[in-house]
Amino acid sequence: MTPILYGPIGRAVEEISPHAETDPVGIYAACLSMWSAAIGGTVRVNRRTPLVWTALVGRTGLGKGIAYGAAEHIMSPAIGRFLETHTVSGLTSGASMVNHLWLQQQATEEMESGRDVRTLVVEEEWSESLRRARRDHSFTPNLRIAWDGKTLRNTTKEEHQEVTGPGLVMHGHITPSDWNEYVSVREAAGGTFNRFLPVTLSAVPMLDDDADEWPTLDVDDLAEAYTWATARPRTLTLGTDAKPLWRLVRRYGRILNASLPEHLAVFVQRTEEQTLRVAACLAASERSTTITHAMLSAALSFVRYSVHSVTTLVAAAEERHPRKVTPADKVRAVIARAGTIKRGDLIRASKIPAAQLDTVLSGMDDVTTERQRTNGRPAIVLRLEQLERQEVRPRDEGVNVDVPNVQGQVVSLDDKRRGNSPHATERPARPQRDQNDLADPFAVLRANLHR
């Protein structure tokens, strides 16, 4: 797998990591959010601002705050006073969010550099903010609008407030238990929380001296990149060498959406755009209007890490509080055991009434039916669609792509590696749950790729 850390930001994270008792990927995630907010007024990719929203997920003591502090140490010298003047917290209603951006827009309207609606929202106690935000029905819809870069409007104020092209970036800290309590599947299905890239933090070795100071970093290249990115509008495009990988990224997103259970798929339905946004941030950090294969590959590695993080979180929650088995789950399990099954046998095996079964089947896109001739009346036979029907080309550009299976594990589709960054480090291997050999939906797909 291509290493996650990349470019000037990755090098700075590597340099500071030995001095910080926290997972380096957490520092990197916080840096990406800060950087995307800072360049959000001028950089565009695919007609959108590459805003990167992240969440650090870890138990108390794993260094979520340390990760953010280390990221500040890296980014502050590079992006000037941006963090001091554009960082806020406590925006827990749709009205307060729009009001803050509108006031900032009004205050900068007459400035020579033009209006400035860049904002970095940092919630170090994100669970408390999410709890309060539940009372306001406009909060999550406005979050979705802000991530999309569309116009925000406040209709609750006497004075009509309208913010065009908001540059809002969210970064939060939360424990795994609070994530599963406040980040609901329902909200994710509505499109709110699949706009975040959650990153689970691992424990790291304890430093010999916990008072060890962070080193002075040389971030001149990042500072020059910030000046370049904000000097005038920049439109970023995919380079020729990155386009084959981009096609694979798009298919990867479709495979995830089609193969994961719905309660997992709702969290990763924006994999394609998230990868492009991260890649655009990496390109801007190297003063490039062209997104190269190496940049896109590193971005995909980071997004895949996040996909694995969220599937692991959901799987852990299910172990503690098993999800209620739905009629669709029963039908899918019965057909999977039988391979193909007649409708009457399915009714008896699943113990679902015939009238209800028709309703259940109408909402299952992965089940196909066909009529088979018999000596008597034609029989209706049902089977699960096979994943080999997905559009995946053999040995597509030699890029390793991992897909979490239904247990939250990572299944490798291609072991061939390329595009490694010379200054990046591999993430330590994480413990994985036992492989379930009876539920591997990617067996045929892997075989096709290795022909």
Side-chain angles (χ1 to χ4, degrees):
M1 185 178 83
T2 302
I4 294 174
L5 306 184
Y6 178 89
I9 297 175
R11 289 193 293 271
V13 170
E14 286 181 335
E15 189 173 349
I16 202 172
S17 292
H19 305 271
E21 285 186 356
T22 188
D23 194 331
V25 76
I27 305 174
Y28 189 67
C31 283
L32 285 175
S33 282
M34 293 176 186
W35 178 249
S36 74
I39 64 174
T42 47
V43 175
R44 297 288 184 274
V45 62
N46 200 22
R47 298 183 298 279
R48 285 189 178 180
T49 304
L51 307 174
V52 178
W53 294 11
T54 56
L56 304 187
V57 188
R59 298 189 306 274
T60 301
L62 285 185
K64 297 183 290 292
I66 294 173
Y68 184 81
E72 275 189 314
H73 186 73
I74 292 170
M75 301 304 297
S76 291
I79 58 179
R81 298 184 62 244
F82 174 81
L83 294 177
E84 296 176 33
T85 58
H86 290 73
T87 303
V88 298
S89 63
L91 301 183
T92 57
S93 72
S96 65
M97 181 195 309
V98 178
N99 185 57
H100 174 83
L101 292 171
W102 185 80
L103 291 174
Q104 187 168 313
Q105 179 178 263
Q106 293 296 100
T108 58
E109 196 76 55
E110 303 301 325
M111 292 181 62
E112 184 177 351
S113 57
R115 69 185 188 90
D116 185 357
V117 287
R118 296 173 298 165
T119 299
L120 175 65
V121 182
V122 178
E123 301 293 356
E124 296 196 62
E125 297 294 335
W126 196 27
S127 59
E128 177 61 21
S129 299
L130 290 173
R131 185 185 65 80
R132 285 183 280 151
R134 280 182 169 178
R135 306 174 198 153
D136 184 82
H137 296 300
S138 68
F139 180 70
T140 52
N142 278 339
L143 276 183
R144 296 193 288 270
I145 293 171
W147 190 84
D148 293 340
K150 298 178 180 178
T151 301
L152 285 165
R153 294 180 177 87
N154 228 351
T155 57
T156 60
K157 295 283 183 179
E158 292 183 5
E159 184 177 10
H160 179 69
Q161 297 178 337
E162 184 174 284
V163 180
T164 57
L168 183 78
V169 170
M170 299 284 296
H171 175 78
H173 300 171
I174 195 168
T175 63
S177 58
D178 284 342
W179 167 275
N180 287 303
E181 179 176 353
Y182 293 105
V183 183
S184 68
V185 172
R186 181 176 60 82
E187 288 290 359
T192 301
F193 292 109
N194 54 34
R195 285 167 164 83
F196 286 83
L197 289 170
V199 170
T200 52
L201 303 185
S202 299
V204 298
M206 185 175 64
L207 296 177
D208 292 337
D209 183 1
D210 60 5
D212 188 18
E213 294 184 359
W214 288 329
T216 301
L217 305 174
D218 181 4
V219 292
D220 288 347
D221 49 357
L222 200 54
E224 291 173 4
Y226 178 63
T227 301
W228 172 86
T230 56
R232 61 181 178 84
R234 307 281 183 181
T235 300
L236 278 54
T237 58
L238 285 167
T240 303
D241 69 328
K243 289 182 179 179
L245 175 57
W246 175 240
R247 289 194 294 271
L248 183 60
V249 169
R250 295 183 64 191
R251 288 196 293 278
Y252 172 55
R254 293 183 184 184
I255 291 172
L256 284 176
N257 192 39
S259 58
L260 288 177
E262 183 180 4
H263 68 288
L264 286 174
V266 293
F267 286 100
V268 298
Q269 288 174 336
R270 283 179 168 77
T271 298
E272 175 184 331
E273 184 166 355
Q274 296 280 27
T275 302
L276 187 61
R277 289 188 179 207
V278 174
C281 288
L282 298 179
S285 74
E286 294 188 322
R287 292 177 286 169
S288 172
T289 56
T290 301
I291 298 172
T292 66
H293 179 281
M295 298 167 185
L296 188 62
S297 183
L300 178 59
S301 290
F302 179 71
V303 172
R304 283 161 51 197
Y305 188 100
S306 178
V307 168
H308 190 202
S309 293
V310 75
T311 53
T312 301
L313 285 168
V314 174
E318 286 184 336
E319 288 181 355
R320 291 192 299 271
H321 307 287
R323 188 171 61 93
K324 183 180 179 180
V325 177
T326 66
D329 293 332
K330 293 180 181 178
V331 168
R332 193 172 284 110
V334 170
I335 299 176
R337 285 197 301 268
T340 60
I341 190 170
K342 294 180 180 179
R343 185 175 181 278
D345 294 335
L346 177 59
I347 292 173
R348 287 186 288 273
S350 64
K351 298 181 180 179
I352 298 174
Q356 183 184 357
L357 180 64
D358 291 336
T359 303
V360 173
L361 291 173
S362 66
M364 297 181 66
D365 295 334
D366 57 340
V367 175
T368 59
T369 61
E370 63 181 56
R371 289 181 177 272
Q372 287 187 355
R373 292 190 178 186
T374 64
N375 294 330
R377 297 175 59 185
I380 298 177
V381 176
L382 300 97
R383 58 167 50 87
L384 290 173
E385 282 191 348
Q386 297 299 312
L387 282 177
E388 63 262 30
R389 297 182 185 181
Q390 294 287 341
E391 180 192 1
V392 178
R393 299 175 187 173
R395 291 199 174 274
D396 200 339
E397 300 303 319
V399 179
N400 178 34
V401 175
D402 295 345
V403 180
N405 66 11
V406 292
Q407 284 79 35
Q409 294 173 297
V410 171
V411 181
S412 176
L413 297 186
D414 194 345
D415 293 329
K416 192 174 179 182
R417 300 176 181 176
R418 62 181 292 184
N420 289 343
S421 173
H423 52 264
T425 56
E426 291 280 2
R427 297 290 307 130
R430 286 172 174 267
Q432 293 187 339
R433 302 172 67 192
D434 292 339
Q435 175 71 28
N436 184 347
D437 294 331
L438 300 179
D440 181 2
F442 299 100
V444 175
L445 195 54
R446 283 202 309 275
N448 288 341
L449 285 173
H450 286 287
R451 284 177 182 171

